Amino acid sequence: MRATLHWYTQAGTLTADNRDACARIEQAHASLYLIADGSSSHPRSGELATALLAELVQGFGHLPASELSPAQLAKGLLQLIDSSHQNLRDAYPQAACSYLMLCLLADAAFSIHEGDCCLGLAEQGGQIRWLSRAHCVANWQGSLTHAELAQTESRHRLTRCFSARRASCPEVNHWQPRANQHWLLATDGFWAGLSDLQQQIFLRDGSLPTPPTGDDISCLSVITSLTG
C-alpha cells in the first residue's frame, strides 16, 4: 500500500507555543506514523513531545522490519519507548506528553499509545469512528464514547502518559487494515475540543475560520491506497 499524508494543526490559547507534533518513517515493509501532544500545564512539554518522536523515528529506522512479525515489531517499539523514557527523563524532569503511533504493514496494523491522543477511521459521509480509548480518569472503565468524554471535565486528568514522574505503560491494539482506508491520529484538541462539523471543516480546510480558544488542535490524516 501507499499512503497520502496531511498534518493539520492550529495553535490554541493555553500556551505560547503549539505543543503538538507529528513524525513519520517508512521502510520497505512497514510504515510508522506518530503524533504527540505536550501537556499545557507542565514546562517544556512541547519540547518533550518533539524529542520523543525523534527518538522513536531514529530507533524504528534501525529495526529490521522486514524480518519481524507484527507482534515482534510491536515488542521492538515498546522497547524503544522504554529506552526513550530512560534517555529523556533527566532532560525533561517536569514535562509530560501523550503520544500515539500507528504502524501499517501489508496485511497487518497496530497502534501504541499513552494518554489522550486517539486513533480513528473516517468513514463515508464524514463520520469518524474512534478506535482507541483515552487514558483518563473519566474513562477508567473504558465504557464512555468519545462524545461523552468530550463533555466530562475529568477527562483532562490522565491515568497514563509519557513522563519522567511515572512509569511508562503503553497500550497496544492490533487492527485489520484494508486498502483505501482513511486513518486519523488526533490530539484531544481535535476529537474532544471540536464539534463533528468543526472536525469536518478542519479536515477539509486545514484550519478553522476562528482560532480555537483552549488547547492546540491537531490531526494527522493517513489515507492508504493500493499501489499501481
Side-chain angles (χ1 to χ4, degrees):
M1 292 185 189
R2 59 186 177 187
T4 301
L5 269 65
H6 294 284
W7 171 239
Y8 304 109
T9 187
Q10 192 166 2
T13 59
L14 294 182
T15 59
D17 57 328
N18 186 336
R19 299 190 175 187
D20 295 345
C22 78
R24 65 182 283 193
I25 179 171
E26 297 183 356
Q27 296 195 37
H29 298 278
S31 299
L32 186 68
Y33 308 101
L34 314 94
I35 66 168
D37 177 3
S39 168
S40 59
S41 56
H42 295 90
R44 303 188 66 195
S45 292
E47 297 174 42
L48 174 63
T50 300
L52 171 62
L53 297 193
E55 287 262 338
L56 295 174
V57 165
Q58 181 181 34
F60 186 79
H62 291 96
L63 290 178
S66 61
E67 302 173 14
L68 301 178
S69 68
Q72 291 171 323
L73 196 52
K75 182 178 179 180
L77 282 166
L78 291 174
Q79 291 172 340
L80 287 175
I81 293 168
D82 185 62
S83 63
S84 298
H85 194 266
Q86 297 298 320
N87 293 341
L88 299 173
R89 62 187 306 164
D90 291 338
Y92 304 96
Q94 299 300 318
C97 70
S98 298
Y99 68 86
L100 164 68
M101 63 180 80
L102 172 68
C103 187
L104 296 180
L105 301 94
D107 56 357
F110 63 87
S111 62
I112 302 176
H113 79 291
E114 287 184 276
D116 55 9
C117 293
C118 288
L119 179 68
L121 280 171
E123 301 183 321
Q124 298 245 345
Q127 298 89 355
I128 299 173
R129 177 163 57 94
W130 295 107
L131 303 175
S132 61
R133 64 189 183 113
H135 297 144
C136 59
V137 170
N139 200 35
W140 67 277
Q141 291 181 308
S143 59
L144 297 181
T145 67
H146 282 65
E148 291 170 329
L149 277 178
Q151 305 301 317
T152 305
E153 183 62 28
S154 59
R155 73 171 180 82
H156 296 290
R157 294 166 54 199
L158 300 184
T159 54
R160 303 191 204 183
C161 68
F162 187 89
S163 170
R165 301 184 308 278
R166 65 171 73 186
S168 188
C169 185
E171 178 179 340
V172 182
N173 290 290
H174 292 267
W175 315 102
Q176 182 58 53
R178 302 188 308 273
N180 306 313
Q181 282 183 306
H182 187 175
W183 302 88
L184 298 173
L185 289 76
T187 66
D188 68 318
F190 178 88
W191 68 260
L194 304 183
S195 66
D196 291 349
L197 178 59
Q198 287 175 317
Q199 290 173 2
Q200 294 182 26
I201 293 172
F202 193 69
L203 292 175
R204 184 193 67 199
D205 300 340
S207 63
L208 295 176
T210 303
T213 299
D215 203 0
D216 307 323
I217 52 174
S218 301
C219 186
L220 179 61
S221 164
V222 181
I223 304 175
T224 61
S225 60
L226 290 173
T227 57

